[in-house]
Amino acid sequence: MRANGQRRLAAAGAPAPALPAVPRTAVPTVTYVLFVVMAGGTLPTPVYALYVQRLHLSPPVVALVFAAYAVGIVAALLLFGGLSDKIGRRATLVPALVVAAASSVVFIALPTLPGLFAGRLLSGVSVGLTTGAATAYLRELHPSPPRAALIASVTNMAGLGSGALLSGVLVEYAPSPEVLPYTVLIVLLLPGAALVLLPERVVARGGGIRPQRIGVPPAVRRPFAAAAVAVFASFALLGLLAALAGNFLVQGLHNHSHLAVGLVAFSAFGSAGAAQLLAGRMTPRAGLVAGMTAVPLGLALIVTGLSAASLPVFLCGSVLGGAGAGTSFKSGLALVTSQAAPDRVSELVSGYFVAAYLGLTVPVVGVAVLLAEGTLMTAAGVFAGVVTVLCLGSIGVTAALGNRTSTRRTPP
């Protein structure tokens, strides 16, 4: 696969430089970098309970700290989403690793509320820089671009799940629980320096960095609405479990285990990653409907688990809801990209990810306020009801699309 700059050279009549051979370690190295950076995104989840005790943080404050993570991601995606196309994949990924390490250093050196906000913001920026550049790099390095996209998508969710699980084990059983998880992450980031040995597939070119444009052409507003509502609802569930699982386990299940918190997040994100392997065999419309059916069912099990004080039922709900979220995420993205003209894809995808990360944060803050002002079951019930309505709305719009989305593409 040739880079954009090389294609332009060839079109102008200039000889395009030969691309260097791809070493066998290239795809595993980029996949590892993506996995570790994503793991850093959920590493603080089991540590939140310690911060709550030491800093006397309320649920809304914890939710806002988590929201800083999503703000960092969206800012990086919108401001620097096209950076790797201009300066190269390696030149983007190496600084992303540095930012991820800096996030951990901030958590260790500044264990205060401002430090938590700064650490989460930097963590989000590192994730935002890494996801786009690593995904594009894998598509250039792997002989099969569709399989490369699947590797990136599954690795994304697997990293998020594994970060929470690793942190849960360390916080529960190892010393210095507010320091060791971040120290381990820094060590895990070090092998990512092997990126500098990989071939660059993009010819660096000049030009300023422009914010990513977001737009939804009229011809695809209905399929985009179905996909955007679906990913909003899906990420709302994932965000709830990543930010407030500790509150739910303590108040609802009387379980104070940090490992259990990590296990809940791992079950949700892990099943989301695994479900994407199956979602690739479904049409986008069928995948959206299946995902939007599974998310409310998973929430019903979560609420039932809280009511019955049953961790197994709660975990089953996390697995089912996470699988639905992963299916919806992949299917919604496929639906959006299939309807766009080539020169409008980035606009639609950017809008899709903005909807996703709004879903990751806004509902979580609302639930946190309900937790502070009311009861656990009220907060969980309201959240489940709102998300279920969103899921039903997405199913309704998706069903109404019929087969019109199979061939239509937006005009340039």
Side-chain angles (χ1 to χ4, degrees):
M1 180 177 180
R2 294 185 179 274
N4 293 335
Q6 291 165 320
R7 283 197 295 266
R8 285 197 298 272
L9 286 173
L19 290 173
V22 177
R24 292 183 178 180
T25 58
V27 170
T29 298
V30 177
T31 302
Y32 176 83
V33 167
L34 177 60
F35 178 86
V36 175
V37 172
M38 297 308 299
T42 52
L43 201 71
T45 297
V47 194
Y48 283 143
L50 301 179
Y51 296 140
V52 168
Q53 290 180 337
R54 184 170 57 78
L55 300 175
H56 309 290
L57 305 180
S58 65
V61 173
V62 173
L64 289 174
V65 169
F66 178 76
Y69 168 69
V71 170
I73 295 175
V74 172
L77 288 173
L78 295 183
L79 295 177
F80 307 112
L83 182 63
S84 71
D85 292 329
K86 293 181 177 294
I87 69 173
R89 312 306 183 199
R90 292 181 310 180
T92 303
L93 288 173
V94 172
L97 289 173
V98 174
V99 175
S103 169
S104 291
V105 171
V106 169
F107 278 120
I108 294 172
L110 298 173
T112 61
L113 183 56
L116 298 185
F117 276 111
R120 286 311 267 157
L121 184 66
L122 288 173
S123 178
V125 170
S126 70
V127 167
L129 288 173
T130 301
T131 49
T135 300
Y137 208 2
L138 285 171
R139 289 177 65 88
E140 294 164 353
L141 296 172
H142 199 285
S144 171
R147 181 168 291 274
L150 181 61
I151 291 173
S153 183
V154 173
T155 300
N156 190 308
M157 292 295 179
L160 289 168
S162 299
L165 183 61
L166 171 64
S167 181
V169 172
L170 295 175
V171 173
E172 185 72 21
Y173 298 112
S176 303
E178 292 187 29
V179 174
L180 188 59
Y182 306 113
T183 304
V184 170
L185 179 64
I186 293 173
V187 173
L188 292 176
L189 289 168
L190 293 178
L195 282 170
V196 300
L197 302 177
L198 301 185
E200 180 59 76
R201 316 295 279 184
V202 172
V203 176
R205 61 184 190 270
I209 303 300
R210 298 180 179 179
Q212 175 62 56
R213 178 182 172 186
I214 297 177
V216 182
V220 295
R221 283 177 182 168
R222 293 183 71 185
F224 179 84
V229 171
V231 79
F232 183 96
S234 299
F235 273 55
L237 171 62
L238 296 176
L240 181 77
L241 297 176
L244 298 175
N247 294 81
F248 278 33
L249 292 182
V250 171
Q251 296 183 35
L253 306 182
H254 312 293
N255 188 317
H256 295 263
S257 169
H258 302 289
L259 177 58
V261 174
L263 188 60
V264 167
F266 175 78
S267 65
F269 286 104
S271 63
Q276 293 183 62
L277 297 173
L278 299 177
R281 302 180 180 181
M282 307 170 70
T283 65
R285 288 178 58 240
L288 270 184
V289 172
M292 288 292 91
T293 302
V295 167
L297 293 176
L299 277 171
L301 286 175
I302 288 173
V303 173
T304 300
L306 290 173
S307 178
S310 171
L311 180 59
V313 174
F314 189 93
L315 284 173
C316 287
S318 300
V319 170
L320 180 58
T327 302
S328 299
F329 171 72
K330 183 171 179 58
S331 300
L333 186 59
L335 180 64
V336 166
T337 55
S338 70
Q339 299 304 297
D343 61 343
R344 306 298 296 272
V345 171
S346 62
E347 297 177 34
L348 285 170
V349 170
S350 295
Y352 182 77
F353 276 102
V354 168
Y357 288 108
L358 284 175
L360 193 72
T361 54
V362 175
V364 171
V365 174
V367 171
V369 171
L370 290 175
L371 281 174
E373 301 296 332
T375 66
L376 173 68
M377 292 308 300
T378 298
V382 170
F383 177 85
V386 171
V387 171
T388 298
V389 169
L390 292 174
C391 292
L392 292 175
S394 178
I395 290 174
V397 176
T398 302
L401 294 175
N403 293 321
R404 290 176 295 173
T405 62
S406 59
T407 59
R408 181 195 298 169
R409 286 186 176 270
T410 56

